[in-house]
């Protein structure tokens, strides 16, 4: 059986301007370079999973315009299955104007366009590698309407598929069902603060935040901490995981978090297959691992370490999906699943 990941999310064409510094309100600033790239959190995460050689399906919408057709061509080039990518007539593909300063920091504006036309009837989980079972891991974010996002999560729960909720971009007033349907929730620091009200400026605060998140439903929390790496929490157990690899030079941090989520989902799918018993559904495998004092913790830490490596490699090049590493560029042994 082949590891498989399904991503529900947004397609946004990135319109990237490189600037010496961020402009202030009312200022016209000359940039140093401009480039376009394929983006959207969901599309980015799917691209990273596919570039690591995992069977990947994307569920989303593009406009019937030049950007939309370019997106479909790029999905096919990267190796993403497009059966569930709808083309919406008379609506633009989503766009994301991005400013990147000389230190690699970015500011982003998103115009959703066709992404808002994904409906509750849109999501359907594809078969996995053996063409009989559903995908092993489903990943969702918050760049498309909540109705189809929740529909996908409900469907995944009904079929025993592992769910990863990346609550980005952060927003208030989310329904309790969102986290209740998450097996793993993976916010960054600002998202964690918004979801929990807890500060994230110390290990004690991070522990408190993960406990607050787990009380809302997900049995596992993976916090992304930028240059500080990530943190894993299951039950009362908590550990910060450093990046473990220093980028040669930070060129562009755009999409690094998506690289982490996409590669984490990919590595998790591999570890789920490696530890599954015959006929066991993916979610049952994950829950069994989470209750294990050694195997589950060890496998999740391996997934985080590998995702940290991918994300750290992505910031060394300009762009988003084009900066993501392929499997042959990764250190040997990153996909090793034997304990």
């Amino acid at each position: 059986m082949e590891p498989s990941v399904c991503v529900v999310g947004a397609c946004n064409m990135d319109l990237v301007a490189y600037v010496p510094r961020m402009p202030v309100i009312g200022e016209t600033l000359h940039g140093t370079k401009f480039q376009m790239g394929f983006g959207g959190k969901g599309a980015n995460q799917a691209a990273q999973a596919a570039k690591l050689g995992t069977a990947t399906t994307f569920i989303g919408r593009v406009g019937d315009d030049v950007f939309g057709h370019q997106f479909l061509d790029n999905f096919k080039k990267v190796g993403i299955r497009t059966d569930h990518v709808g083309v919406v007539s008379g609506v633009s593909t989503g766009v994301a104007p991005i400013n990147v300063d000389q230190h690699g920091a970015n500011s982003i504006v998103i115009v959703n366009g066709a992404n808002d036309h994904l409906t509750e009837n849109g999501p359907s989980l594809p078969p996995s590698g053996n063409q009989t079972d559903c995908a092993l891991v489903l990943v969702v974010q918050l760049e498309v309407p909540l109705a189809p996002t929740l529909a996908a999560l409900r469907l995944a729960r009904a079929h025993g598929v592992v769910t990863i909720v990346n609550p980005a971009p952060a927003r208030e007033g989310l329904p309790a069902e969102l986290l209740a349907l998450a097996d793993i929730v993976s916010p960054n620091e600002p998202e964690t603060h918004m979801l929990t009200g807890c500060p994230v400026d110390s290990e004690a605060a991070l522990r408190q935040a993960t406990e607050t998140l787990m009380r809302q439903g997900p049995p596992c929390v993976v916090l992304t901490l930028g240059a500080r790496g990530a943190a894993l929490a299951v039950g009362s157990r908590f550990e910060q995981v450093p990046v473990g690899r220093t980028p040669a030079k930070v060129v562009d941090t755009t999409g690094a978090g998506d690289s982490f989520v996409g590669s984490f989902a990919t590595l998790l799918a591999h570890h789920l297959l490696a530890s599954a018993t015959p006929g066991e559904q993916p979610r049952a495998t994950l829950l069994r691992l989470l209750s294990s004092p050694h195997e589950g913790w060890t496998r999740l830490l391996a997934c985080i370490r590998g995702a940290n490596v991918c994300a750290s490699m992505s910031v060394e090049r300009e762009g988003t999906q084009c900066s993501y590493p392929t499997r042959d560029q990764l250190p040997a042994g990153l996909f090793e699943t034997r304990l």
Side-chain angles (χ1 to χ4, degrees):
M1 182 173 172
E2 183 181 6
S4 55
V5 172
C6 177
V7 182
V8 177
C11 298
N12 291 321
M13 184 63 76
D14 291 340
L15 309 174
V16 187
Y18 292 88
V19 294
R21 58 176 174 79
M22 295 298 174
V24 299
I25 294 174
E27 180 183 21
T28 298
L29 184 68
H30 282 282
T32 57
K33 189 171 69 170
F34 171 80
Q35 69 181 40
M36 292 168 49
F38 300 99
K41 290 184 176 299
N44 290 343
Q45 293 164 11
Q48 180 63 96
K51 290 182 80 169
L52 296 179
T54 296
T56 306
T57 297
F58 184 78
I59 298 174
R61 297 292 181 265
V62 296
D64 189 14
D65 56 13
V66 62
F67 290 164
H69 294 291
Q70 288 174 346
F71 246 104
L72 291 173
D73 289 342
N74 183 66
F75 277 151
K76 293 171 184 175
K77 179 181 177 181
V78 174
I80 296 171
R81 181 175 169 181
T82 60
D83 308 51
H84 301 275
V85 182
V87 179
V88 185
S89 298
V91 178
S92 69
T93 299
V95 294
I98 302 171
N99 289 329
V100 180
D101 72 14
Q102 61 182 335
H103 304 293
N106 63 73
S107 65
I108 305 173
V109 175
I110 296 173
V111 181
N112 278 344
N115 294 311
D116 283 340
H117 289 256
L118 182 64
T119 66
E120 191 170 354
N121 296 325
S124 59
L125 295 178
S128 59
N130 66 1
Q131 301 300 308
T132 57
D133 299 318
C134 288
L136 299 179
V137 178
L138 171 74
V139 184
V140 302
Q141 323 75 33
L142 299 179
E143 283 188 333
V144 296
L146 277 172
T149 301
L150 291 170
L153 290 170
R154 295 184 198 113
L155 192 60
R157 179 61 58 88
H159 287 277
V161 174
V162 170
T163 56
I164 298 176
V165 173
N166 172 219
R171 67 172 83 166
E172 296 179 343
L174 292 171
E177 186 184 14
L178 182 76
L179 292 187
L181 290 170
D183 295 314
I184 300 172
V185 62
S186 183
N188 64 16
E189 292 166 283
E191 292 152 5
T192 299
H193 184 262
M194 180 170 285
L195 288 170
T196 66
C198 301
V200 288
D201 52 0
S202 67
E203 180 175 324
L206 289 172
R207 284 177 177 269
Q208 181 182 357
T210 60
E211 291 168 1
T212 300
L213 286 170
M214 284 187 286
R215 282 197 296 270
Q216 297 177 60
C220 176
V221 177
V222 176
L223 302 182
T224 56
L225 307 174
R228 293 189 292 151
L232 171 65
V234 178
S236 61
R237 199 167 182 181
F238 176 93
E239 183 173 334
Q240 285 191 238
V241 186
V243 172
R245 176 190 181 277
T246 303
K249 181 181 180 181
V250 177
V251 175
D252 186 353
T253 60
T254 309
D258 297 330
S259 173
F260 179 96
V261 174
S263 51
F264 176 82
T266 295
L267 289 161
L268 180 62
H270 281 262
H271 280 272
L272 288 171
L273 276 184
S275 55
T277 60
E280 188 175 44
Q281 290 184 323
R283 185 169 188 265
T285 303
L286 176 67
L287 295 178
R288 177 170 53 79
L289 289 175
L290 292 178
S291 66
S292 165
H294 172 68
E295 182 185 359
W297 191 257
T298 301
R299 291 191 182 279
L300 286 168
L301 286 178
C303 293
I304 290 175
R305 292 189 185 103
N308 276 342
V309 169
C310 290
S312 72
M313 293 176 70
S314 77
V315 305
E316 295 176 334
R317 295 191 292 173
E318 293 177 349
T320 306
Q321 295 179 23
C322 59
S323 74
Y324 292 169
T326 55
R327 185 164 175 175
D328 61 337
Q329 295 172 327
L330 299 177
L334 205 64
F335 277 76
E336 176 60 59
T337 56
R338 290 177 297 179
L339 296 184

